[in-house]
Every structure is written in C-alpha cells, then in structure tokens.
Amino acid sequence: MILHPGILALLSGSLLTFGFVLFSARLSCQVLRYWQPEQADERQLTLERRSYLVSTLINYAFGFSILSLPLFLYTVDDIHPLFVGAMCATGSLNSNPIGWWALFVKMALVLTGGLWVVVNHYDLRAADYPLVRFKSLMLLLLVPLVTADFVLQVLYFLGLKPEIITSCCGSLFSSKSAGLAAEVASFPPRPMMALFYAGALLFAVLLLLNLLSKAPLWRYLLALAAIPYLLLGLTATISFISLYVYELPTHHCPFDMLQKSSNFIGYPIYLGLFGGVLCSMVPGLLEALHCKLGSGPALQRSQRHWVLAASLFFGLFLLLTGWPVVFGGLSLRMFF
C-alpha cells in the first residue's frame, strides 16, 4: 500500500465510520423494537440516552463521509505521478478499477448520509423525538452502503501498485474509445448544451415555484428532479463544460479541473452541483415527514430556507460552468 497522508486519513476515517455505524446499528435495532415515548420506565430512559449517543456518533461519522469525497478526489489526483501513464485522478483510478466503484459509493453516501444528518437535526429539535424510529430504520438501510465504502477503499488502496502502467483521461474520455465515458464524451456539443440548459431552466422554475408556493406537490417534484439533474450535470461536465474550462476541443476529463493548472475550479463546481442536489431533496423529505414534525409555519419557513440554499448552490454551479462558455477563449461553432 502507498503510505500517503490522504490514504491513511481516508482509511482511518472510514474504519472509525464503519465501527460507529455498526455499533449504532445494534442500538438502532433496540430502539426499533422497544421505543415507547409514552412510557417513563427505566428501559425507555436508557433508550433515550442511547439514541442521543447514536445521534452524536453518526453525526460525526457521516460528517466525515461527506468531507471524505473531496479528500478522496484530492488524494487520487495527488498520487497520480506515482503511476506510469497517469496524468490526473483518472490514471490513479484506472490503475485499480475498484477505485471507480469506491468513488460512486462515496457520491451516494454523501447524499444519503447528508439526508440522515438533516433528519437527525430535526428530530433533536423536537421535544418528543418524533423521528427516532425513522432515522433508526434509515441508519440500518445505510449499513450496506457504509460497509461497501470501507471495503472498496481498502481493496482499492491495497491494490495500488506503482509498477503498473495505467491509462489516463486521454484514452478513457475519448470518442474513439469504448465504454460509457467515451459515449458521454462523444455527445455532440450543441444538442447536449440545449438539453443541459433546458434542464437547468426547468430546475430553476421548480425552485421558483417552491419559493412562491407552499403546495406539497412542488416540494416532491423538486426532490424527484434532483437526482436526474445531478446526472445531467455530470454528463454535461464531461460532454462540453470541460472543453470550455480547459479551452481544448478534445479534452473531456472531469478531473483535470481539480488541479492547480485549472485553479482548482472543479471543487466549487462540484460543491455547487452536489450541494444544490442535496438541499433540493430536503424540502420533499420534510414534506413527507410533516405528519411527525407538524405542518405549521415553522416547518414551511425551514423548507423555504432549504430551497434558498439549493438556489444558491444551483446558481454557483451555473455561474462557474457558464462563465467559460460565455466569456472563455474557446469557440466550438465548427463542432456544432
């Protein structure tokens, strides 16, 4: 294994997260079985103290899981000079393909873990802990994802061998290659730009409707549109946004923008995309839980705050990706 500080931090943090989640999952089973808030006996008081312990442990665990995604990206990019043929994070991931699965699982864990933290926040704010059973069940459902995150990272980092010759983004994100990444990179810029900005307009309209209306329908539609827009944003980044960022008509890599040569612009771009998606899912989740949280003005104000946060992240993503398209030095007219 490569003894890189980022690798050691990721493995140590994932091990602690895995341990916290397994320990908390056992306590969550007890909560699901014996939780009776109307009782005031010794067992109920013990469960209440244990549920607070679970909340504290998992908050730290999922907090690290969210921060581990940019740390993972930084680490795999930072170690790429160790591999022959690698020029960015793509080469590091290609040197052991398990790394791609580790990346995808981390992306899923950022969203699901973030939603658990939000649910826990609203549960602790209420006097009678109305969401204890729901967040306990949610935690049990996340155990396989946390386990996969830990196991895949271990297998990936232990399987890295510097003597292996790897391939980099020039071969993976190329229209002449085979595979999903190559197919996305080969999408014609003009229809992809039309689809992306049409989707952005639709998403903006949903955000506006959520700000102007209190109807539950718009909350649910915004939450349902979040994941498709995430996929559309990632596809557009590979298809044409990366071209304008690098000002190269054939360079589709989504990882080179994380490097100093691109002023690390990829980090705020992905922050805007993932932050907007996560915040957009929260109002719909809160609407689904309103029977336990209540549907008064306080909940509606909270939903509005999440919509505003989603709008800010959404605006950040569009600003950073649209600026090079409008004001950059590259023109793709001949490719349209």
Side-chain angles (χ1 to χ4, degrees):
M1 185 181 73
I2 300 173
L3 298 180
H4 184 279
I7 295 177
L8 298 178
L10 284 166
L11 292 180
S12 300
S14 294
L15 177 60
L16 289 174
T17 298
F18 179 62
F20 285 168
V21 169
L22 285 186
F23 174 75
S24 300
R26 176 176 173 272
L27 298 181
S28 295
C29 291
Q30 297 176 1
V31 168
L32 287 172
R33 184 176 181 182
Y34 299 114
W35 184 262
Q36 294 178 325
E38 67 279 0
Q39 300 293 329
D41 54 14
E42 180 181 356
R43 183 171 65 181
Q44 178 61 23
L45 293 176
T46 301
L47 286 177
E48 290 181 4
R49 290 195 295 268
R50 288 180 176 177
S51 68
Y52 189 80
L53 173 62
V54 168
S55 299
T56 303
L57 291 177
I58 301 303
N59 261 341
Y60 282 110
F62 286 153
F64 174 80
S65 296
I66 293 172
L67 295 176
S68 70
L69 177 58
L71 177 58
F72 182 82
L73 291 172
Y74 172 81
T75 300
V76 296
D77 181 70
D78 196 51
I79 63 176
H80 80 265
L82 301 177
F83 304 100
V84 178
M87 299 181 66
C88 64
T90 304
S92 300
L93 294 171
N94 282 341
S95 64
N96 184 358
I98 294 177
W100 289 104
W101 291 105
L103 175 60
F104 298 148
V105 169
K106 277 195 174 296
M107 292 166 58
L109 194 55
V110 163
L111 298 178
T112 54
L115 290 177
W116 191 95
V117 171
V118 171
V119 170
N120 181 61
H121 169 72
Y122 285 96
D123 181 58
L124 295 180
R125 286 178 56 183
D128 55 347
Y129 304 113
L131 301 177
V132 166
R133 288 183 179 273
F134 177 78
K135 70 180 185 182
S136 297
L137 178 60
M138 191 176 177
L139 176 60
L140 292 178
L141 295 176
L142 288 177
V143 169
L145 196 62
V146 174
T147 303
D149 178 60
F150 173 64
V151 171
L152 289 173
Q153 274 192 107
V154 171
L155 293 177
Y156 170 63
F157 288 124
L158 289 180
L160 291 177
K161 299 183 184 301
E163 64 272 14
I164 293 179
I165 299 177
T166 184
S167 58
C168 202
C169 50
S171 59
L172 182 63
F173 298 98
S174 171
S175 58
K176 297 180 180 180
S177 302
L180 180 60
E183 292 181 5
V184 173
S186 64
F187 287 166
R190 187 172 187 175
M192 190 64 226
M193 291 177 70
L195 177 62
F196 172 71
Y197 287 112
L201 178 61
L202 176 61
F203 202 73
V205 170
L206 285 175
L207 289 170
L208 181 60
L209 290 172
N210 273 271
L211 289 175
L212 298 177
S213 173
K214 300 176 182 178
L217 174 63
W218 304 123
R219 313 289 196 228
Y220 291 132
L221 287 178
L222 181 63
L224 291 174
I227 296 301
Y229 188 75
L230 171 64
L231 299 177
L232 180 61
L234 293 175
T235 302
T237 300
I238 297 173
S239 177
F240 74 90
I241 292 173
S242 56
L243 306 182
Y244 285 99
V245 171
Y246 309 131
E247 297 188 355
L248 292 172
T250 58
H251 195 44
H252 295 269
C253 180
F255 298 111
D256 278 356
M257 61 181 68
L258 301 173
Q259 296 181 344
K260 184 178 180 180
S261 58
S262 298
N263 298 314
F264 306 106
I265 192 63
Y267 289 104
I269 285 178
Y270 293 130
L271 173 65
L273 179 59
F274 279 88
V277 168
L278 177 59
C279 292
S280 298
M281 298 170 70
V282 174
L285 177 63
L286 295 180
E287 192 65 40
L289 298 174
H290 80 276
C291 57
K292 295 182 179 296
L293 294 173
S295 55
L299 182 64
Q300 293 174 355
R301 285 196 302 270
S302 185
Q303 290 175 315
R304 181 180 176 85
H305 292 159
W306 284 106
V307 175
L308 287 172
S311 301
L312 291 176
F313 281 116
F314 176 70
L316 175 65
F317 176 66
L318 284 185
L319 175 64
L320 294 178
T321 56
W323 186 273
V325 174
V326 177
F327 300 103
L330 178 68
S331 175
L332 294 178
R333 294 176 183 175
M334 62 180 295
F335 294 90
F336 285 166

